[in-house]
Amino acid sequence: MHKATAYHDALGDHFAERAQTSPYNAYTDRPAMLGLAGEVSGARILDVGCGAGHYAAELLARGARVAGIDGSATLLRHARARVNGDAELRLHDLEEPLGFAADGSFDGVVCALVYEHVRNRVQLLSELRRVLRPGGWLLVSTTHPTADWRHFGGSYFSHDWRDLPLGDSELSIHYQRMPLETFLGELLAAGFVLEQLIEPRPTADLREIDEAAYDKLHRTPSFLAVKLRRP
């Protein structure tokens, strides 16, 4: 992410702790994205906006070789502790080209809940296509457009940048609303082929821990996740 939208300092620490057990992160988006990734043993994967390293750690546990980038030094500190030196992690502004990566050097890319924070998404997608080998896959998850519409109101087709408060804290995240046609349209225009689209629901484990959250997330969509292929 850009320095203006990355999760710095207290926000980074708050997110790192919350993402460990949150119904949204730990029981909904993360299992969905890992399910879309499928078998990853031996694959070289780029984790774009790797955050506190939760996805990287899971991919490593499944046998992948992982490189991660994030615009927040705070989150990278958490990620480095989580992966214990087993992944290549670097501070990188997602508004800048991926100059550290050679053409076709990755088998897969994970971009979990970061796409909506990026302004120059055309450049980012072009770079992701470049660093993926032919036939490589791209996973992207984002806030469900209807979730934003329910929360913020106004037009469903809004492209406004908004600040979303995090629970009872004084912290918030800054990102851009976008309708489904924008989200998918940008990915397809970048030359990727859509393989699968899901609207993740929480895993059954959440019911034992927080039945209210489980029921809510099975009634109202929170995220969209897609798997695309580089031709």
Side-chain angles (χ1 to χ4, degrees), residues 148-149 152-156 158-160 162 175-179:
D148 281 335
W149 189 28
F152 293 115
S155 171
Y156 166 82
S158 172
H159 288 78
D160 291 348
R162 293 285 187 145
Y175 67 95
Q176 188 177 23
R177 292 176 59 179
M178 65 185 83

Side-chain angles (χ1 to χ4, degrees), residues 11-30:
L11 177 57
D13 290 333
H14 177 87
F15 177 79
E17 180 180 359
R18 180 174 177 270
Q20 179 70 19
T21 57
S22 163
Y24 295 89
N25 300 97
Y27 293 93
T28 306
D29 185 74
R30 202 149 64 236

Side-chain angles (χ1 to χ4, degrees), residues 1-3 5 92-97 117-121 123 161:
M1 293 182 240
H2 187 267
K3 60 185 178 182
T5 56
H92 184 82
D93 186 339
L94 297 189
E95 304 293 345
E96 300 296 329
H117 296 284
V118 178
R119 292 181 182 272
N120 196 351
R121 295 190 294 269
Q123 175 183 264
W161 284 82

Side-chain angles (χ1 to χ4, degrees), residues 150 201-202 211-222:
R150 286 169 60 93
R201 271 84 92 192
E211 188 169 3
Y214 177 86
D215 290 342
K216 176 185 176 183
L217 287 167
H218 269 271
R219 292 194 310 269
T220 59
S222 182

